[in-house]
Amino acid sequence: MTLELTTDVLVVGGGPAATWAALKAAEEGASVVLADKGYCGTSGATASGGTGVWYVAPSQEAREAAMASREALGGYLADRRWMARVLDETYDRINELASAGRYPFPVGPDGTPLRNGLQGPEYMRRQRIRVRRAGVTILDHSPVTELLTSVDGAVAGAAGHQRQADRPFRVRAGAVVLATGGCAFLSKALGCNVNTGDGALFAAEVGAELSGMEFSNAYGIAPEHTSVTKTAFYNYATFYRADGSVLEGAGSQRGRSVIARTLLSEKVFCKLDLADEAARKAMRLAQPNFFLTFDRLGVDPFTDPFSVTLLAEGTVRGTGGIRIVDDGCATTVPGLYAAGDAATRELICGGFTGGGSHNAAWAISSGSWSGRAAARFARSLGRGARRVQAAGGAGLRPTGKGSHVDVAEVVRTVQAEVLPYDKNYLRHGDVLREALTVLDGAWASMRSVEAVGTATLPARQAAAMVAHARWMYTSALVRNESRGMAKRLDHPELDPSQHHRITSGGLDEVWARPEAVVA
């Protein structure tokens, strides 16, 4: 028996952006349903660890410094107006979290609250409580597998399958917010295995566009054989070769490609030996889960060398995602909004990762804006019922005669093209074109899949990852230069004539084109 629900706003996802969207939609007087692939409050990248927050006091000097700090890294593709909006909204919402959410922010020696960091588990536990108290209906373990559209093409809800109840569900909604996270290609980066790019696939299936998908090759530094990617801590690291000599040029922010090249032929080690005693104490307080593995092994990361690896984080820490077209985070499709890592973060980060800090601020801000805007859009429709139709394709409805496809093998095929450093991180046009040929074949395979019941989730995740990879590499081939994180070995210099964003889309036929940056 299908679970049928009707609501004003449907939020897809369960992380920070989703919970802020649900809260702000409810504050607008909308009825809200939130559907999470996992358990809202515990799933996703934020709930599994801690994060910094781009929280800056409202002084002109401090805000100016904050906005200028990463513009060059991002290839000057960020937008100052959007930066200022995010700084304003994040400041207000973090203060709200302290007052209404009673989040226990630490206090400095002078009594000043320290609000530029969050412990993910506690943050998301309180967000779930707040969402429930706001009257939001939460559907846990209920992955959405496709959007619903009305006859005029507007998004009108979504459908999926409840894993624990083993039943399909369908939610008719006046508006939908996609806050499903980015795509890390099941790389085993901590908290990212729910981030398979589902929202981007759903959006593309109804005609939405994406932006910045070439900025999608983020790799986080992690101790070898672990999943914890707290890259900011490696600003205190010295990197070494196996023989103990210093690996020249290696670093967290500007020298990760040196690490990647070296890992292709030998192990890389490091020590966090640049951290003084005060920094060491602050690091343990801010990110205790980072030290768990070291403590269990009896390793002191500040004095003992340990081997490291790079884990793909794709568009979770990259900046590409669904294109947004107004201050309410609307997409190019009526009734559809995007927030958090599902949406492009170019507007505040340009072409370089915002890391946890900027991405956390973007999740808070875009979630709040999209929730409010979605509620207002739903209210404008009135209460009349709309006829809806399902929009899902690859993995659900074959274009021809259905055939058996090993979905797990499709995932392995995608991973073989996007996880290796010498394909995705150290990019070259010839390699990208060869990878696209393989990925196009994987997409054709997924178009013949007809999954039902519990099989729909892995099938749709596989389709989303294939689509994501094709948008990434197609966009990367349009940017014939090195800008932000989108480095090209065959075009190693920044080209001033390519100071533009790149939009993309399409499914069977993928496209990408330059889009002027509005000053």
Side-chain angles (χ1 to χ4, degrees):
M1 181 78 68
T2 300
L3 173 65
E4 297 274 3
L5 298 173
T6 300
T7 190
D8 293 326
V9 175
L10 169 64
V11 178
V12 185
T19 52
W20 281 106
L23 280 171
K24 296 307 167 184
E27 286 180 6
E28 290 284 328
S31 57
V32 183
V33 172
L34 181 150
D36 190 6
K37 183 189 289 188
Y39 183 86
C40 175
T42 67
S43 66
T46 296
S48 61
T51 182
V53 181
W54 204 31
Y55 176 88
V56 181
S59 76
Q60 183 174 351
E61 184 177 350
R63 293 282 175 90
E64 173 61 30
M67 290 189 288
S69 64
R70 299 175 75 91
E71 283 184 311
L73 280 173
Y76 297 98
L77 293 178
D79 184 314
R80 282 291 184 103
R81 186 179 75 85
W82 278 87
M83 286 181 174
R85 292 185 70 222
V86 167
L87 287 169
D88 286 342
E89 187 73 27
T90 300
Y91 187 81
D92 290 342
R93 298 288 73 74
I94 287 292
N95 291 342
E96 176 188 318
L97 182 64
S99 56
R102 298 185 178 181
Y103 182 88
F105 285 102
V107 177
D110 61 354
T112 303
L114 305 177
R115 296 182 177 176
N116 61 347
L118 291 163
Q119 292 292 339
E122 182 63 18
Y123 172 32
M124 293 312 304
R125 184 182 76 83
R126 290 173 185 268
Q127 283 292 92
R128 180 184 176 92
I129 291 171
R130 297 182 69 205
V131 166
R132 292 189 66 183
R133 287 177 176 171
V136 174
T137 299
I138 300 176
L139 303 180
D140 291 311
H141 303 293
S142 300
V144 164
T145 54
E146 62 182 327
L147 294 177
L148 306 175
T149 58
S150 62
V151 293
D152 61 358
V155 171
H161 194 89
Q162 293 193 291
R163 293 189 296 159
Q164 293 186 334
D166 192 16
R167 66 177 177 182
F169 71 92
R170 189 168 69 161
V171 181
R172 294 170 180 262
V176 174
V177 178
L178 292 175
T180 51
C183 182
F185 298 99
L186 299 178
S187 67
K188 293 184 169 58
L190 185 65
C192 291
N193 269 23
V194 293
N195 299 132
T196 50
D198 307 357
L201 174 65
F202 304 155
E205 286 177 330
V206 297
E209 298 177 356
L210 299 103
S211 182
M213 293 301 289
E214 72 275 27
F215 305 123
S216 51
N217 55 340
Y219 283 76
I221 304 172
E224 190 178 22
H225 307 305
T226 76
S227 61
V228 181
T229 55
K230 298 300 177 188
T231 300
F233 283 5
Y234 295 94
N235 288 323
Y236 295 99
T238 303
F239 294 88
Y240 302 88
R241 296 183 182 275
D243 62 7
S245 61
V246 173
L247 180 58
E248 297 295 339
S252 172
Q253 192 171 88
R254 292 184 180 271
R256 227 172 295 182
S257 61
V258 175
I259 298 171
R261 288 190 183 93
T262 307
L263 283 170
L264 293 173
S265 59
E266 62 178 287
K267 284 194 172 186
V268 173
F269 295 80
C270 89
K271 290 187 288 188
L272 305 180
D273 49 7
L274 303 181
D276 59 21
E277 191 59 34
R280 295 178 185 189
K281 290 180 180 178
M283 290 160 73
R284 280 193 172 272
L285 180 65
Q287 308 281 1
N289 67 332
F290 176 84
F291 296 94
L292 287 176
T293 301
F294 295 116
D295 292 344
R296 289 169 179 167
L297 294 174
V299 172
D300 183 345
F302 300 109
T303 59
D304 301 332
F306 57 95
S307 57
V308 296
T309 189
L310 296 175
L311 293 179
E313 296 177 308
T315 54
V316 175
R317 281 190 189 263
T319 64
I322 302 167
R323 183 184 173 212
I324 56 179
V325 297
D326 68 13
D327 287 359
C329 295
T331 70
T332 51
V333 179
L336 183 64
Y337 299 79
D341 293 348
T344 180
R345 282 135 288 159
E346 294 169 288
L347 295 166
I348 67 164
C349 298
F352 193 79
T353 176
S357 173
H358 288 59
N359 286 7
W362 175 252
I364 292 167
S365 301
S366 61
S368 299
W369 296 328
S370 62
R372 296 185 190 112
R376 292 164 188 163
F377 181 89
R379 187 161 58 240
S380 73
L381 296 176
R383 295 292 178 179
R386 293 188 290 174
R387 292 179 59 188
V388 299
Q389 58 189 7
L396 287 179
R397 297 176 183 87
T399 52
K401 183 179 179 180
S403 62
H404 174 72
V405 173
D406 186 341
V407 170
E409 181 60 32
V410 171
V411 172
R412 288 190 289 271
T413 297
V414 177
Q415 290 176 321
E417 302 304 324
V418 298
L419 298 186
Y421 315 137
D422 53 349
K423 290 188 178 182
N424 191 10
Y425 195 41
L426 307 172
R427 289 173 172 172
H428 189 287
D430 293 342
V431 176
L432 295 178
R433 280 183 280 271
E434 289 178 6
L436 273 173
T437 298
V438 175
L439 293 166
D440 288 344
W443 178 258
S445 296
M446 289 307 303
R447 292 295 271 148
S448 67
V449 174
E450 185 176 12
V452 295
T454 56
T456 58
L457 177 59
R460 292 293 274 168
Q461 288 186 158
M465 286 187 280
V466 177
H468 228 78
R470 294 169 77 223
W471 294 318
M472 285 165 43
Y473 285 177
T474 300
S475 297
L477 285 170
V478 172
R479 187 171 290 286
N480 293 310
E481 62 162 351
S482 289
R483 186 183 295 268
M485 70 169 63
K487 300 291 193 295
R488 287 277 298 272
L489 298 180
D490 49 339
H491 295 282
E493 303 298 327
L494 185 145
D495 178 3
S497 70
Q498 296 187 54
H499 182 246
H500 49 237
R501 300 193 182 103
I502 293 174
T503 57
S504 57
L507 292 163
D508 294 332
E509 297 292 332
V510 173
W511 57 268
R513 61 173 178 252
E515 184 85 17
V517 175
V518 178

